[in-house]
Amino acid sequence: MELIEKYFPDLDREQRKQFAMLGELYAGWNDKINVISRKDIDHLYEHHVLHSLALAKYGPFQKDMTVVDVGTGGGFPGIPLAIMYPDVEFTLLDSIRKKIHVVNEVATSLNLKNVMGIQARVEEHQGSYDLILTRALSSLTKMVEWTDHLTENKRWISLKGGDRKDIRKELSPQFKVTFTAISDYFEEEYFQEKWIVDVQG
């Protein structure tokens, strides 16, 4: 929790309480349903919560936006961002029922009114969103292919790791792709070679 306060000192009381609850909530659910790898649960705040909040530093969100987090897993980046932006509507999508069960239970425990977890394959999901988010979901090509029907303004933001040149090769040149190094925001070694990839088509 100290990590979150280090980089986001202006959180209000409710947000601090919600972020503080995440550790215990995810530890409890992980004992029942393995939604986060066993070795990673001890690094929840750095590897999952803070990583998700790189998008808050990047700042693409506006009031009343509709956002879909595709392949959300246990709720990342959607849950931390929903805490940060209570006036943005987040749909968290995953094909695995048990993961969406955890997402909805965590959202209820945190009293997050702006989160809806839906169990569905992304190709079959229907909706229209201002922004599509993904975290380590396949290639950029697949991301665009699977989700193109969900966006009219053709904007995707993905959290990805690895070589920037290799990532750029995943998409044809017709797309505008902007890279932002997460290490520009956070000094921890974990964030080296990790990127916010902003795709517009």
Side-chain angles (χ1 to χ4, degrees):
M1 182 59 196
E2 294 82 6
L3 260 185
I4 310 305
E5 292 177 325
K6 171 183 174 181
Y7 289 109
F8 298 93
D10 298 327
L11 297 171
D12 65 29
R13 183 182 297 180
E14 181 67 11
Q15 288 170 320
R16 287 174 194 275
K17 178 184 167 188
Q18 289 168 322
F19 279 122
M21 288 172 68
L22 287 177
E24 193 174 331
L25 280 171
Y26 277 103
W29 276 110
N30 226 47
D31 284 343
K32 303 174 200 168
I33 301 170
N34 192 22
V35 289
I36 294 168
S37 72
R38 300 291 182 196
K39 64 181 175 58
D40 240 13
I41 193 70
D42 293 335
H43 303 283
L44 176 80
Y45 280 99
E46 182 178 357
H47 293 186
H48 295 280
V49 182
L50 192 59
H51 190 203
S52 299
L53 291 176
L55 293 170
K57 291 291 189 185
Y58 187 62
F61 305 102
Q62 297 172 5
K63 187 178 180 182
D64 297 328
M65 277 183 87
T66 55
V67 178
V68 61
D69 172 10
V70 174
T72 189
F76 300 98
I79 292 281
L81 292 172
I83 295 173
M84 192 64 76
Y85 297 98
D87 52 4
V88 174
E89 293 297 320
F90 290 90
T91 298
L92 277 55
L93 198 65
D94 204 281
S95 62
I96 300 174
R97 184 179 299 277
K98 68 179 183 178
K99 291 184 176 180
I100 289 301
H101 176 68
V102 172
V103 163
N104 283 323
E105 290 293 330
V106 168
T108 298
S109 297
L110 297 174
N111 197 30
L112 291 174
K113 307 293 190 190
N114 59 332
V115 170
M116 179 184 293
I118 296 177
Q119 188 248 323
R121 290 174 59 83
V122 62
E123 305 96 311
E124 296 162 4
H125 179 62
Q126 296 300 313
S128 181
Y129 300 94
D130 297 317
L131 181 62
I132 293 172
L133 301 180
T134 67
R135 180 174 182 248
L137 176 80
S138 193
S139 68
L140 295 181
T141 304
K142 287 261 193 317
M143 174 187 77
V144 169
E145 181 184 312
W146 290 342
T147 62
D148 191 58
H149 66 290
L150 298 176
T151 173
E152 289 182 12
N153 59 3
K154 308 300 179 193
R155 189 175 184 198
W156 300 261
I157 298 182
S158 184
L159 293 170
K160 288 185 78 74
D163 186 272
R164 187 167 128 169
K165 291 177 184 171
D166 290 340
I167 295 170
R168 180 61 187 91
K169 288 175 190 170
E170 294 173 5
L171 268 183
S172 66
Q174 74 187 66
F175 289 93
K176 180 186 175 189
V177 182
T178 305
F179 287 84
T180 301
I182 295 178
S183 58
D184 287 352
Y185 302 132
F186 306 139
E187 64 185 6
E188 285 71 23
E189 188 178 343
Y190 177 74
F191 298 107
Q192 297 298 316
E193 287 289 292
K194 287 188 167 54
W195 310 94
I196 296 168
V197 187
D198 192 330
V199 176
Q200 297 181 55

